[in-house]
Amino acid sequence: MSDAPQLLIVADESAPWTDAVMALASPYLRTVVVAPDAEIDTSAVEVVVGAPPDLAAIIPRCPQLRWVQSTWAGIDAIAHFASESLQITPLKGVFGPAMTEYVMGWLLAIERNVISRASHTQWTPTLEPRITGKRMGIMGTGSIGTAIALAAKSFGVEVIGLNSDGRAVEGFTACYPGADRLAFAAGLDYLVSVLPQTAQTDNLIDEALLKRLNPRAIVFNVGRGNALVETDLIASLNAGHVRAAVLDVFREEPLPADDPLWSTPGVYVTSHTAGPTPDEAVAEVFERNLKRYIAGEPLPDAVRACRGY
């Protein structure tokens, strides 16, 4: 019998999740841990686990490949490999709490003037507005968007959503299809994007959409940089229509030192740190999907080849 590996864990030795994944996979499949640039026999590989940039070169070398488990939520680098015969599963269902902390933390800090008040050296009894009664729109109504929506509702914020087809989702007062993005944006005090990177999400947050927001709105982008037309946002901030923008993701990362976003008043750059991956998350998601894979069942989190997420 061949001793070629059936499952590749593609990661540096320092990755904290490899031992747990190895322990889960080994009873079912011949499993090895390999560095991203390792030369190895891939003729029998049917499963690979790793970060999308590390897997992009390995996937075409695995003729028997049936399942790819990403250790990232974003699978931009490998989404195009998804097909009826190859299931690709992102790291889903683990980032909601962290993203909620990020969005609500920054929202409260800005609206309640926490950042400025921290440096006050004299009595300043001016009152800040509350967020109760305000209107938030979340672009992307999956597990992350839903977690944020439920948290915002607990503060008395009305939350509406934008998704591909306008389907109703728990936690949202209403949801709009992507084609109605301008109607979705009308009258929003807070705009939050948690969208994945696909051809359908390119440039959705542009001048036309920003103009629909309420004056002094706050914009958050914690999904992917392709959704935001950065020059249009800068113009809206400089014109005073948008009050602040909390940006975690960008078209080019790291954000170049000479990018105008660094010097635009009201912009807060957080360097792609909004949703750190818990060490245990990779093993938890892998175990959930492994049970279904071994049983021959479809993986519900698998990327749909027709839409890229």
Side-chain angles (χ1 to χ4, degrees), residues 3 5 11 36 65 93 111 121 125 144 167 172 186 196 199 202 209 242 254-255 261 300 302 309:
D3 60 357
L65 192 61
E111 285 286 59
T121 58
I144 295 173
R167 64 191 178 280
F172 295 87
D202 282 340
L209 185 143
V242 170
L255 189 66
L261 286 169
Y309 66 94

Side-chain angles (χ1 to χ4, degrees), residues 86-280:
L86 177 58
Q87 298 184 93
I88 298 178
T89 50
L91 200 64
K92 280 192 173 182
V94 299
F95 295 102
M99 291 293 205
T100 299
E101 291 174 358
Y102 176 94
V103 171
M104 296 309 297
W106 275 99
L107 176 56
L108 291 166
I110 293 171
E111 285 286 59
R112 297 305 298 265
N113 207 23
V114 172
I115 297 170
S116 173
R117 282 194 179 276
S119 61
H120 284 186
T121 58
Q122 62 183 16
W123 188 260
T124 311
T126 306
L127 299 178
E128 286 89 17
R130 297 183 61 197
I131 68 173
T132 296
K134 297 293 182 69
R135 198 162 191 249
M136 174 184 287
I138 300 178
M139 306 176 80
T141 61
S143 60
I144 295 173
T146 298
I148 297 170
L150 293 172
K153 282 187 67 175
S154 71
F155 283 89
V157 176
E158 180 188 4
V159 187
I160 62 170
L162 184 80
N163 53 38
S164 58
D165 54 10
R167 64 191 178 280
V169 179
E170 180 186 4
F172 295 87
T173 300
C175 288
Y176 291 74
D180 292 340
R181 66 187 179 95
L182 299 184
F184 154 82
L188 294 180
D189 301 293
Y190 313 124
L191 175 69
V192 180
S193 175
V194 294
L195 292 170
Q197 180 168 328
T198 70
Q200 290 71 41
T201 62
D202 282 340
N203 305 320
L204 289 185
I205 306 173
D206 60 4
E207 179 184 13
L209 185 143
L210 292 169
K211 284 183 175 179
R212 294 296 186 98
L213 305 179
N214 276 342
R216 308 293 288 165
I218 301 174
V219 174
F220 299 80
N221 191 12
V222 293
R224 285 293 182 266
N226 70 301
L228 175 64
V229 181
E230 294 169 355
T231 53
D232 289 355
L233 175 64
I234 290 172
S236 189
L237 283 158
N238 287 334
H241 183 66
V242 170
R243 173 186 176 186
V246 182
L247 308 178
D248 192 55
V249 291
F250 304 88
R251 292 174 183 268
E252 181 179 355
E253 295 185 5
L255 189 66
D258 61 351
D259 193 287
L261 286 169
W262 289 112
S263 57
T264 301
V267 172
Y268 301 93
V269 174
T270 59
S271 306
H272 211 142
T273 60
T277 304
D279 289 346
E280 68 278 7

Side-chain angles (χ1 to χ4, degrees), residues 14 32-33 36 52 81 133 152-153 166 173 193 207 240 252 267 276 282 287 299 308:
S14 60
V32 296
V33 180
F81 290 115
K153 282 187 67 175
T173 300
S193 175
E207 179 184 13
E252 181 179 355
V267 172
V282 175
E287 181 178 23
L299 307 180

Side-chain angles (χ1 to χ4, degrees), residues 65-66 78-88 302-306:
L65 192 61
R66 298 169 59 194
I78 58 174
H80 60 286
F81 290 115
S83 67
E84 291 186 3
S85 60
L86 177 58
Q87 298 184 93
I88 298 178
V303 171
R304 297 186 190 179
C306 61

